[in-house]
Amino acid sequence: MTTTAPPPAAPPPPSSTKTVTRPGDRVFAGLSRGSGIFVLVIMGAIALFLTVRAVNAISKDHANFFTTFEWNAALTPPKFGIAVLAYGTVVSAVIAMAIAVPIAVGIALFITHYAPRRLGDVIAYVIDLLAAVPSIIYGLWGALFLVPHLRGLNLWLNHYLGWTVIFHKDDPNSTPRSLFTVGILLAIMILPIITNVSREVIRQVPKMHEEAALALGATRWEVIRMSVLPFARSGIISASMLGLGRALGETMAVATVLSASPTLSAHLLDPAGGTFSQNIVAKFGEATEYGRDALIASGLVLFVITLLVNGAARLIIARRKEYSGANA
């Protein structure tokens, strides 16, 4: 006689669980949300203030605000434009980034992967000190030391690379207070920011990635190229954008070094051009109320350029998110 096993008992119905939120969590969530909203409100207030004052100035401008080289808001009628300022701001920032980014990434890699620990700590400490130097000190150093010592480099570039037009110098004896000099000075100023952030990002690369590459027979450079740089690419881009933001908005150092003029020239070694920040600091003190509105209008353009640069950086990082550490 065979007996069948009784059917298994049905599992008990799941008991309803209620998530309990602690008061501290609610307070922290509210403070975090409020902080984010507060930042947006501040940004909106700044944009509104700049827009209102800019519209007041541009509406009375008797020249094209975007294509005019001259800046003279004190004329009757006023005539001013941002063509020279926009060109000088973008060109000097591009020169600074072209010089600073490769050097900064190289220093970060040397500190984290090549230098002995003691030497790396010393170099990192010196880089941190450079980040704490005020802008006016950089400007004085640039005017008193960098400008005189760039004469030889300018003559060399003019002699061997003058055919490129970019490095042609109309007057070889002129003082090198040019956009090229400004770009070199800005590169020195943004170097600590890019280096420090890149160094910290590179240090977050999982060691097992590097050890796996070494176990497969990769050289140290191949480990950096295949394991370190893909992981740190998004962080390096973010560091570069931080440096670019400072390069676009730098004021005192540029005003001290650059010999500004309402001239737009493709010859980077000639003393000509200007930047938004330099123009504002040079003319704000003696400007009339309408002249200040005109300067605020140029500040609005710089504000928009900065937002566009940051937005482009976010898009680049989003497209490269498969290489970021979040997915490692």
Side-chain angles (χ1 to χ4, degrees):
M1 180 177 180
T2 59
T3 58
T4 59
S15 58
S16 60
T17 58
K18 183 178 181 181
T19 304
V20 178
T21 304
R22 298 180 179 180
D25 293 336
R26 288 196 295 268
V27 172
F28 180 77
L31 290 176
S32 301
R33 188 179 299 109
S35 300
I37 295 174
F38 182 65
V39 171
L40 294 178
V41 169
I42 292 177
M43 292 290 293
I46 293 174
L48 179 62
F49 167 78
L50 294 176
T51 302
V52 171
R53 300 291 292 268
V55 169
N56 177 52
I58 296 175
S59 62
K60 301 175 183 178
D61 187 9
H62 283 247
N64 191 304
F65 180 70
F66 295 101
T67 60
T68 302
F69 291 1
E70 179 185 6
W71 186 278
N72 199 335
L75 286 178
T76 305
K79 295 181 180 180
F80 56 90
I82 61 168
V84 174
L85 305 179
Y87 174 80
T89 300
V90 173
V91 168
S92 60
V94 169
I95 294 173
M97 294 294 290
I99 297 173
V101 172
I103 297 176
V105 175
I107 294 174
L109 290 173
F110 177 76
I111 292 174
T112 55
H113 287 79
Y114 288 92
R117 185 175 183 84
R118 289 186 178 180
L119 178 60
D121 292 341
V122 172
I123 296 176
Y125 178 72
V126 173
I127 296 295
D128 292 339
L129 288 180
L130 288 176
V133 176
S135 299
I136 187 61
I137 303 301
Y138 278 111
L140 293 175
W141 176 82
L144 300 177
F145 180 84
L146 185 62
V147 169
H149 286 79
L150 282 180
R151 289 180 180 271
L153 178 60
N154 282 327
L155 292 176
W156 187 89
L157 291 173
N158 181 47
H159 184 269
Y160 291 101
L161 298 176
W163 55 271
T164 61
V165 178
I166 295 176
F167 295 112
H168 175 74
K169 193 174 178 66
D170 292 332
D171 182 10
N173 297 320
S174 62
T175 304
R177 292 179 174 272
S178 59
L179 290 176
F180 182 71
T181 304
V182 171
I184 294 176
L185 182 61
L186 290 177
I188 297 172
M189 296 180 67
I190 67 178
L191 187 66
I193 299 174
I194 304 176
T195 301
N196 291 338
V197 177
S198 299
R199 184 186 73 225
E200 295 304 321
V201 171
I202 291 172
R203 282 179 173 170
Q204 301 305 316
V205 177
K207 290 299 180 183
M208 61 180 180
H209 288 191
E210 301 182 37
E211 293 171 356
L214 290 172
L216 293 174
T219 63
R220 184 176 297 184
W221 165 242
E222 289 173 339
V223 170
I224 292 174
R225 182 169 56 87
M226 296 186 299
S227 299
V228 176
L229 292 181
F231 182 93
R233 184 178 288 121
S234 297
I236 293 174
I237 293 174
S238 300
S240 301
M241 292 305 105
L242 287 175
L244 179 59
R246 180 172 184 182
L248 290 172
E250 183 53 46
T251 303
M252 293 307 300
V254 177
T256 307
V257 170
L258 181 63
S259 179
S261 65
T263 305
L264 194 153
S265 175
H267 304 161
L268 299 182
L269 302 182
D270 289 333
T275 66
F276 286 114
S277 302
Q278 171 270 329
N279 186 63
I280 291 173
V281 74
K283 293 182 168 59
F284 194 86
E286 59 185 17
T288 61
E289 183 176 357
Y290 176 75
R292 290 172 183 163
D293 287 347
L295 294 173
I296 290 174
S298 67
L300 175 62
V301 177
L302 180 59
F303 182 77
V304 173
I305 291 176
T306 304
L307 291 181
L308 292 177
V309 167
N310 286 304
R314 296 301 306 172
L315 290 176
I316 294 173
I317 294 173
R319 291 181 61 185
R320 297 281 185 173
K321 63 182 179 180
E322 66 271 16
Y323 298 108
S324 67
N327 297 325

